[in-house]
Every structure is written in C-alpha cells, then in structure tokens.
Amino acid sequence: MIFSFRFRGKHQEILALYRSFLDHPNQGLHPKELSRMTGIPMLDVVTRMDKTAELFVKLPGRRDGLTRYRLTTTATARTTIEIEHLVEQQVRKESWLYYAFIAMILLVFLIAVMAIAPAI
C-alpha cells in the first residue's frame, strides 16, 4: 500500500499493549509476554511497538539476548486518558490523510473523464 498507517485501524491493539505495560510498571516486557497478555500475534506486537515510538521504546539487550520493550518516559508521565486522546488524535489525522488521498484520486479521474468527454 502507498500509505503505511501506524495508528489507523490499530488503535485497539496499541491501547491493549499500553494497558499491559500499566499492569506491569517499571518492567521491560518481551513481545512474547505481551502477546500472551493481549492475545495479539507476536509479530504484530513487535511491528506495533516498533512503529509507535511515541509510546514504546526498545531496551538495550541484556546478557540473555532477549529484546524487551517499555513505555517511554513521556507515556509513563501521562494519564491513561491523555494517552487515549493522543492515540485517537493520531487516528483522526491518519483518517483525514486517507480521505484526502481518495478525494485526490477521484478528482484526477473526474478531470480525466471531463477532458476526454468533449473529444468523443
């Protein structure tokens, strides 16, 4: 797809991951643990956390070689309502971008039809 939306259509997954981190404060969690807690496939968990750097940060590796994630400092400082508002705001922005792109395609198609119609 031309656009890769980070929040649109994925906001429930993001909020589920966020709530999982709230249930385990000050703890780095492995994507497999998060997958078990939320019921989201592990690859989707990793993709979601890598693409939403506003909320999740990858921790440096330990000796055990496992990759862990945590909430960012700003995400831990905000309330749940503020995070939900942030996610909804991003969903709205991406939706407007999607609708604008569809409108541009329809407009180009309409202009092309209008340009060809008099020639016929």
Side-chain angles (χ1 to χ4, degrees), residues 7 10-22 52-56 70-92:
F7 290 91
K10 299 159 186 89
H11 63 282
Q12 292 299 328
E13 291 179 0
I14 294 169
L15 291 175
L17 291 169
Y18 172 73
R19 289 185 190 107
S20 295
F21 279 105
L22 290 181
T52 52
E54 297 92 340
L55 298 175
F56 310 109
R70 285 188 65 179
L71 289 176
T72 60
T73 306
T74 56
T76 55
R78 293 180 178 184
T79 64
T80 305
I81 295 170
E82 290 174 328
I83 294 295
E84 289 174 358
H85 179 69
L86 172 79
V87 171
E88 289 300 321
Q89 184 180 22
Q90 293 296 327
V91 168
R92 235 179 283 120

Side-chain angles (χ1 to χ4, degrees), residues 20-38:
S20 295
F21 279 105
L22 290 181
D23 293 340
H24 299 87
N26 301 323
Q27 189 176 4
L29 298 174
H30 187 268
K32 190 164 195 139
E33 293 173 307
L34 291 165
S35 177
R36 285 186 199 136
M37 287 184 239
T38 60

